Structure formats: structure tokens, C-alpha cells
Amino acid sequence: MRWFRNRGELGVAGLLLAAGIYVLLDTPTIRITPGQLAIGPRFFPYMVGAFLTLVAAGLIVGVVRSGSARPDTDGEAPAERPGPAAVRVAGIVAVAVVHALLLNLTGYVIAATVLFWGAATLLGARRPVRDGIIALAVASATYALFVWVLQVPLPNGPFGGDV
Amino acid sequence: MTGLEGLLHGFTEAWTWTNLMYAFLGVFVGTLVGVLPGIGPALTVALLLPMTYTLDASASLIMFAGIYYGAMYGGSTTSILLNTPGESGSIITAIDGNKMARAGRGAAALATAAIGSFVAGTIATTVLAFAAPTVAALAVKLGPADYFALMILAFITVGSLLGSSMVRGFASMGVGLLIGLVGVEQVSGQTRFTLGLPQLNDGIEIVVVIVGLFAIGEVLYTATRKGGRVRITPIRGRAWMTRDEFRRSWKPWLRGTAIGFPFGAVPAGGSEIPTFISYTLERRLSKRKEEFGKGAIEGVAGPEAANNANAAGVLVPLLTLGIPTSATAAVILVAFQQYGLQPGPQLLDTEPDLVWSLIASLFIGNLLLLVLNLPLVGMWVRLLHIPQPYLYAGILTFALLGAYTVNNATFDIFLMLIVGALGMAMRWFGWPLAPLVIGAILGPNAEVYLRRALQISTGDPTVLVESPFSITVYVIVILLLGVPFLLHRWEKRTAAAITAASGSPEDESPAVAQKSE
């Protein structure tokens, strides 16, 4: 078990290898325009695919032999954030997805308030009401800065622009 | 225009209220983000890229350059007071700077860092002004094969000199190259690797890549940590130093400048290496070797000068060749492209007003930074008290906003989350981030130059090694592939020596937060 814990990087290296093989296999499907003088649109992808595959192989060998380079600096720090790490990360990604889905439904200010509040809570903020007020303030200020000062359009949602 | 004429012209251009305001805004925001742990200059510039939609070119470029310089300043403050470098160029500063702060000499450490940065920035910007026209004049003569060689050089150096191991640097670069392949290619217009998604036809937006990698990656990585309070070493009053400290500082400032600038100016990235070399040199030259690792002022003065001179040096290949050698330079290149401007040898001829006012504003920005940093250091320190959950929730909010505004589409938000997850994994396993960015930006250019060169020669590959210039570059590439081994060994030996000298190993190694440099 410990051997594997020190070698989680194999997962990333495996993905890299898969990406390299995908590039090599998909490159022949790129269309070539007739009358190509020298190298066409397939040459460079072949190079990149080969490079990725080689580097991934090198990385896999390196990790299997000597483990990850990851320094464990967390130590015995007191836990200030809720739940296990994987749950916090998944939670933040989920909040971000909700944010993206809310954007065109409720407009920017509400979507960003939800995002800020959710992320802050997952990262260890402890006072829901105060956090909510700060989230609303940040979202409103961002909206004002981008829409009114920089004139970058953002979705208004059903309540119009004045939240 | 020669360097001097250009500079004078640039000062008259930059000396308008609007441009001064943007220079001020740039260094202000730059210092702010440099001080905040977790946000580096590349990320800040990337987050502010939406401003290019409404601001004019010179205003936003002046501001972005100010952010770049400002973040270098601000990073040293965090290094000294927190022992957590705000960006990678300040890692070395943390060693002796934080020791000085704990010994009650924090004010002197901050002062030697600020004045050293000013001295280095001013000298290096002057050299930049005089070197740029010369380099551009030479660069005009380069053909596509020469450019291809230069890009190979940039790939090799950025990939091999950064991060914990060479293979991880190249892995990071490979991912960047793959990202660069996605979309319709520029030479014959074929669609590649879009997975059938029409949103990917224009390729993956580089802003989405950079912000996702640095911002989302940092937020997710932070979420994996347990958290905990940081210890801020308190500092009273203004930053200043005694006469003796000044006497010990001025030579390291100048030596640091001389080391930092060339490392930025050759297309070989990284601000860590020159700071590291400067530190080693100062230690070797010092009569008080035993003080190093315990709070030697030379160990702050030299590396801080080196990293600022390095920032100016990076602008030479960026402005004259269009080749970025740091993540921040890569984002500034994207900002140029937003205005339809292509940095390269012609830029000085086609846009002299823009380039020279940009360079002149760097001098102004440098002066503003000195003013901002010496008396106001207490104000910056207060920023460190922002609670982490709010800080990172704010970064996340701004980052996703940046993704959305690129195309006004939620698709880019999802794309950014994927890149962010990758960024988290890369941080977790100690992969350097800059090679990915450089690979994604330079990859497509390298392909275009390669294909152009081979089209001219109708497929004969010897065209790639025909000119003396490209041959020289490839020789350097081969030599460089050997250097990292030596540098890593040297680094380990020096680190061991420092640890041995100061006695308390846990205390010694500053938490190396990986930031955009």
C-alpha cells in the first residue's frame, strides 16, 4: 500500500501516455490538402505525440524506481478546513459547475455570490451569514467594475442589472 | 531610432496624465498581488486581460509591464516577512531575509530589497533600451529556420531548467504542445484534435489555459491542504538601513544586476537560476560566510537585484523576437496579440511610440515602486491578514469570470476547470507550470516556422541547419542539455552547505510555493 501511496503520480503519467498515444493514433485522420510542397499538417502532431509518449514512459520509469518528487510539507498542521481533501476539491469543482449553470439563469451577481460563498465555506470560512454578505458584496462590486467601468457585458438574469 | 532618441521620445509619450495613471495603477496592483501569497504576476496579467477589450494598447501594456515589475517587488516582502515566497524569483530571498526579520532587522532587509530592485531595474531597463534596437536590427535578417532554432532553444531551456526534475519539465511542456495543437492549424487550415467540438475549432484560448493553470490550480491545491495560520514577523516603522548595511549592499546590487539581465535576455527562461547564482556568488565573496543562512544582508541584496534585472532582460526577446521566456512574458505577448500587434523585429519600426513609451514607463514605474515600497510597507503587510478562505474564493470568482468573458460562453468555464484540475495535479507532484504555458504559446509558432522553412526548401531538411546562426543555436542547445545536471548538483550542494551552516534544517527551507514568475 505504501508503495502505491508514494506513486500516485503514475496516474498522471498514465494520462500523459494515453494522450501521447491518442495523438499518434488520431494524426492519420487529419486531412491533407493536395499539392502539399513539404511537410503537411500531420508532421508536427507526430512529433508532439512521440515526444509525449517518450516523456510519459520516462516519467513512469522514474516514478516506479524512485517514487514521486512530491515533498510532504503538510506536517501536523491543525485541520482548519472541513472534510477530507478529495471532498473539498470535488466540492469546489461542483460549486464552479453550479456557477456556470446559474450564469444565464439567474444572472452574474447571484451566480457569483453562490460561487464565492460555497468556495469560502469549503476552504474553511466559519460564519455563514457574514460570509454570505461578503460574497454578495464581492459579486456586486465585480459586476459594477466590469459592466459599468470596463463595459464588459455580463449576464443580467431576470432581475435586470441592479442587484 | 537609437536607444537614446527612442528613450527621450518615449518619455514625452509616457509623460501624459493617463499613461502615468496606468503606470501607477500597474505597479500598485503588481505590488498588491506580489505581496499576496498564491497570486503571481502571470496570473494577475491574465486575469486583467479582459481590460484589453476596452482600453487602448499603450495604456494597458504600460499597466501590464508595471504589474510585472511591481509583482517582483511585492514578492520580496512576502519572502522576508512570511518566509513564503510570493513568486519563484524570491525563493532565495526568503533564506536570509526571513532570518533578518526574525532578528529584528526586517526593515533593513526590506530596504535593501527595495533599493536593490530599483537600482537593478533602472540599470537593466537602460540596457534594454539600448539593446532592443540592435537586437531587432539583427533579428530582421533571421529566416524561418533560424526562428525555429530559437524556439527549440526556448523549449529546451524552459523545459529542462525549471522544476524538480527534467522529465517533469518536459512532461509539462508536452502537455502545452498538445494544447497548442488543438483547433484549426494556421498553414493549411485543417482542423485537428477538436474531439468533434465546434467550440474547439479556434483552439483552446491561452487565457483559459493560463488562468486555469495558475488560479484554479492554486485554489484546488490549497483546498487539498489542511490549512493553518501563517506567522507574520512584525515590523515597526519604515523600511530603512544603516550606513554599514548600505555599504554591504551596493556591490551585491550591481553584481546581481549583471547576473540577472543576461539570464532573462537570452531565450532561456527562469528567474530562479540567476537569483541562485547571485546568492552563491555573494556567499563565496563574503568575508562573513558564517552569516549566510542566518541573516546576511548580501544574501538579500544580490538575489533581489538579480530577479528584477531578470524581469527587464526577459523583455528583450519578447519585444525584439516575439519569444516569451517566462509565463508573465507569455501573457504580455497575448495582450499584444489582442491588439493585432505581433512583437518581433518589425515592432520597433511599426509601433515606435508604443514600444518606447512602454520602456520609458518602466523607468517611471520603477521610481513609483521605490516610493510605494519604502514608506508604505506597513500597508502591504496588512494585506497579509486577509483570511485565506476569502482570498481564494475571490481568486476563483475572478478566474471563472475571466474564462466567461473570453467568448461570453460557459464552455470556457468548464474547459478552465479541467485545466485547473491538471494544474492542481502538477503542483501536487512538483511539475513546473511555465513550460506548459510556453509550449502552448510557442508550439504553434514553431510549427509555422518549421513548415515555412521546409516549404522554401521544397522539403529539404538541411535548410534547418544551413545558416551559421541556427548552427550556433543548436550547439548551445546541445551544451545546455548537459548543464541542468551540473546546476542541480550544485544546487543540492549549496543547499546542504546552507543547512549545515545554520543548524536547524526544518526552519531553513522556505516553503517553496510554485508561482508564476
Side-chain angles (χ1 to χ4, degrees), chain A residues 9 16 22-23 30-31 33 38 40-41 44 55 59 70 73 80-81 88 100 103 116 130-131 142 150 154, chain B residues 54 168 171 175 178 185 190 192 195 222-227 388 390 394 401 410 428-429 431 451 454:
Chain A
E9 198 175 6
L16 198 68
Y22 162 70
V23 171
I30 298 167
R31 251 186 302 159
T33 40
F44 203 68
V55 168
L59 190 59
R70 175 179 160 66
T73 46
E80 292 206 341
R81 302 201 173 106
R88 292 194 297 263
L103 266 181
F116 190 102
R130 193 183 79 164
D131 301 341
T142 311
L150 299 173
L154 291 176
Chain B
T54 44
R168 290 179 177 85
V175 177
L178 174 59
E185 46 99 10
Q190 299 305 317
R192 301 190 296 198
L195 305 168
T222 304
T224 65
R225 322 288 283 165
K226 286 183 198 144
Q388 264 204 2
Y390 295 152
L401 176 64
T410 45
W428 187 274
F429 294 116
W431 293 22
R451 290 172 71 177
L454 290 174

Side-chain angles (χ1 to χ4, degrees), chain B residues 26-32 34 65-75 369 373:
Chain B
V27 295
F28 189 87
V29 173
T31 313
L32 196 125
I67 291 173
Y68 190 19
Y69 272 27
M72 302 303 278
Y73 266 75
L369 278 169
N373 276 274

Side-chain angles (χ1 to χ4, degrees), chain A residues 24-99:
Chain A
L24 289 176
L25 291 180
D26 201 48
T27 299
T29 67
I30 298 167
R31 251 186 302 159
I32 298 179
T33 40
Q36 200 61 246
L37 273 175
I39 55 168
R42 288 182 188 170
F43 183 79
F44 203 68
Y46 273 129
M47 279 172 52
V48 173
F51 180 73
L52 277 172
T53 312
L54 280 177
V55 168
L59 190 59
I60 288 170
V61 171
V63 175
V64 167
R65 280 163 83 192
S66 45
S68 291
R70 175 179 160 66
D72 189 36
T73 46
D74 225 15
E76 296 299 307
E80 292 206 341
R81 302 201 173 106
V87 173
R88 292 194 297 263
V89 172
I92 289 176
V93 173
V95 169
V97 170
V98 169
H99 168 73

Side-chain angles (χ1 to χ4, degrees), chain B residues 71-82:
Chain B
M72 302 303 278
Y73 266 75
S76 60
T77 307
T78 332
S79 277
I80 292 166
L81 298 180
L82 280 185

Side-chain angles (χ1 to χ4, degrees), chain B residues 45-70:
Chain B
V45 179
L47 282 177
L48 292 175
L49 273 178
M51 294 187 111
T52 56
Y53 305 144
T54 44
L55 282 183
D56 74 272
S58 62
S60 58
L61 289 172
I62 284 173
M63 189 174 71
F64 290 165
I67 291 173
Y68 190 19
Y69 272 27

